[in-house]
């Protein structure tokens, strides 16, 4: 009886282990599932920051004597280092929301930021684009301070209607296609398919679970998948995603046949072999995955250099995602109101110092008036 109980307990224990092992996803599987779930959402809010982490340039001198050469190298190195330190103080931020549920809307605040040595400067440019009406709205920026609006228009957004003949002519027929809702959906599908395929094709040995840091925990991540790719795997990942995107853009007539042919020539492995041989490239990724399966935090680092490390560049991006399927927009043209860009420009005309500049603006107004009459 005792032996039977022991055998039964052992059997149940082994069954639990086997079942537990079957339900525990590998890092590779976890990421693939998270990518699928994140791409399948109808919208989200995002906060993204990009900065340069590493930059070096070759030092060359034309001096003849050894003493002059050493002195010149020291001076060059000093100025170069100061310049590099200055560049490292800059970062580029992008915050906003996207919504694909009904009509596509995209909100983005571009933030050029400098923060170093007790000096902090930030320039923000908020935009909202409504793909259903092909209308771009610009929020308040430093331009409003330089060129003030009418008192009754203060707080309103500046409206750019891409259907306007003048704007559509300036953008061009080919470029206007990228603002078509159906084409945007097609491009997003291509990016999804290319990204999932690219990461799925990587050997599972490159993936691992890693402990969460404070930022990742604060974002809502409950687990982190880390990936470090060598030169060959990095190139394979980039080309797989690029190929999926270019193929779709060509099929949707978003790029010309000549541009497509050039890409196919450049991306040919035989053409890339000499370049790859001269290049050191490494991609690092940290994916923070929430308990519901969405990717809520992503850190990517790309580092490249020539094979002699004379030139090197490192770029880091961190992105946080939230409010899946229920994105929150901060810009609302319906409640705040908007003003056509030409009305705003006509107010700026009186502030322009040059008569030539005023004449140029008046000429633009005439062109727009003529275009409107032709449409009517």
């Amino acid at each position: 009886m005792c032996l039977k109980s022991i055998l039964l307990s052992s059997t149940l224990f082994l069954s639990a282990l086997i079942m537990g092992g079957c339900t525990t996803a590998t890092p590779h599987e976890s990421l693939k599932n998270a990518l699928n779930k994140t791409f399948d959402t109808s919208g989200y809010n995002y906060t993204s920051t990009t900065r340069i982490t590493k930059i070096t340039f070759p030092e060359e001198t034309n001096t003849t004597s050894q003493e002059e050469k050493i002195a010149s190298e020291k001076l060059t190195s000093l100025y170069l280092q100061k310049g590099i330190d200055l560049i490292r103080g800059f970062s580029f931020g992008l915050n906003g929301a996207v919504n694909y549920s009904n009509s596509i809307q995209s909100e983005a605040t571009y933030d050029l930021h400098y923060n170093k040595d007790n000096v902090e400067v930030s320039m923000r440019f908020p935009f909202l684009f409504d793909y259903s009406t092909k209308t771009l709205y610009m929020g308040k920026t430093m331009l409003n301070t330089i060129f003030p609006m009418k008192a009754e228009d203060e707080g309103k957004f500046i409206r750019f209607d891409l259907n306007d003949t003048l704007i559509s002519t300036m953008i061009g027929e080919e470029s206007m296609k990228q603002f078509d809702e159906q084409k945007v959906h097609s491009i997003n599908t291509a990016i999804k398919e290319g990204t999932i395929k690219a990461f799925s094709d990587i050997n599972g040995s490159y993936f691992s679970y890693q402990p969460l840091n404070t930022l990742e925990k604060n974002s809502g991540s409950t687990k982190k998948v880390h990936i470090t790719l060598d030169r060959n795997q990095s190139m394979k990942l980039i080309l797989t995603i690029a190929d999926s995107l270019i193929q779709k853009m060509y099929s949707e007539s978003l790029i010309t046949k000549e541009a497509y042919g050039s890409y196919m020539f450049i991306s040919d492995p035989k053409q890339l072999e000499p370049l790859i041989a001269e290049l050191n490239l490494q991609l690092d990724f940290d994916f923070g995955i929430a308990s519901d399966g969405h990717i809520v935090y992503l850190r990517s680092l790309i580092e490249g250099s020539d094979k002699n490390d004379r030139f090197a560049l490192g770029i880091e991006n961190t992105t946080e995602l939230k409010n899946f399927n229920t994105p929150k927009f901060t810009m609302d043209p319906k409640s705040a109101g908007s003003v056509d860009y030409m009305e705003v420009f006509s107010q700026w005309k009186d502030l322009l110092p040059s008569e030539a500049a005023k004449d140029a603006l008046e000429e633009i107004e005439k062109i727009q008036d003529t275009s409107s009459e032709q449409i009517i």
Side-chain angles (χ1 to χ4, degrees), residues 189-317:
T189 299
I191 293 172
K192 171 189 173 181
E193 292 172 351
T195 302
I196 292 174
K197 183 180 187 307
F199 281 101
S200 297
D201 289 348
I202 298 171
N203 190 288
S205 62
Y206 287 93
F207 297 74
S208 65
Y209 286 124
Q210 296 293 328
L212 295 166
N213 61 33
T214 303
L215 286 174
E216 291 156 352
K217 289 177 181 177
N218 291 340
S219 71
S221 303
T222 56
K223 60 183 174 182
K224 174 168 70 176
V225 175
H226 175 76
I227 312 165
T228 297
L229 302 179
D230 57 27
R231 178 176 59 188
N232 292 332
Q233 290 292 332
S234 295
M235 289 299 298
K236 182 180 177 182
L237 179 85
I238 293 170
L239 289 176
T240 300
I241 297 173
D243 187 65
S244 177
L245 181 60
I246 294 296
Q247 297 283 358
K248 180 61 70 173
M249 290 180 71
Y250 180 62
S251 67
E252 294 286 349
S253 301
L254 290 172
I255 57 174
T256 63
K257 186 176 181 180
E258 291 74 19
Y260 177 72
S262 299
Y263 166 76
M264 295 303 293
F265 176 77
I266 294 171
S267 62
D268 187 307
K270 291 182 180 179
Q271 301 296 328
L272 285 173
E273 279 179 9
L275 174 63
I276 295 174
E278 296 293 322
L279 180 69
N280 294 321
L281 181 65
Q282 179 175 301
L283 295 180
D284 268 62
F285 297 97
D286 286 317
F287 290 91
I289 303 173
S291 56
D292 64 1
H294 288 110
I295 295 171
V296 292
Y297 184 89
L298 168 61
R299 173 185 172 272
S300 57
L301 174 65
I302 177 170
E303 291 188 336
S305 68
D306 64 330
K307 66 179 181 180
N308 297 318
D309 287 329
R310 297 175 71 244
F311 173 82
L313 179 66
I315 300 175
E316 179 189 57
N317 173 269

Side-chain angles (χ1 to χ4, degrees), residues 9 20 53 56 59 72 95 136 155 161 175 180 197 214 226 300 311 341 345 350:
S9 299
T53 59
T56 58
E59 297 178 6
S72 178
N95 311 317
L136 175 70
D161 185 355
S175 298
D180 180 82
K197 183 180 187 307
T214 303
H226 175 76
S300 57
F311 173 82
Y341 75 101
F345 287 172
D350 297 332

Side-chain angles (χ1 to χ4, degrees), residues 147 345 347-359 361:
F147 303 109
F345 287 172
Q347 296 300 310
W348 294 355
K349 182 173 61 178
D350 297 332
L351 300 172
L352 294 173
S354 169
E355 288 299 324
K358 291 181 182 180
D359 293 342
L361 188 55

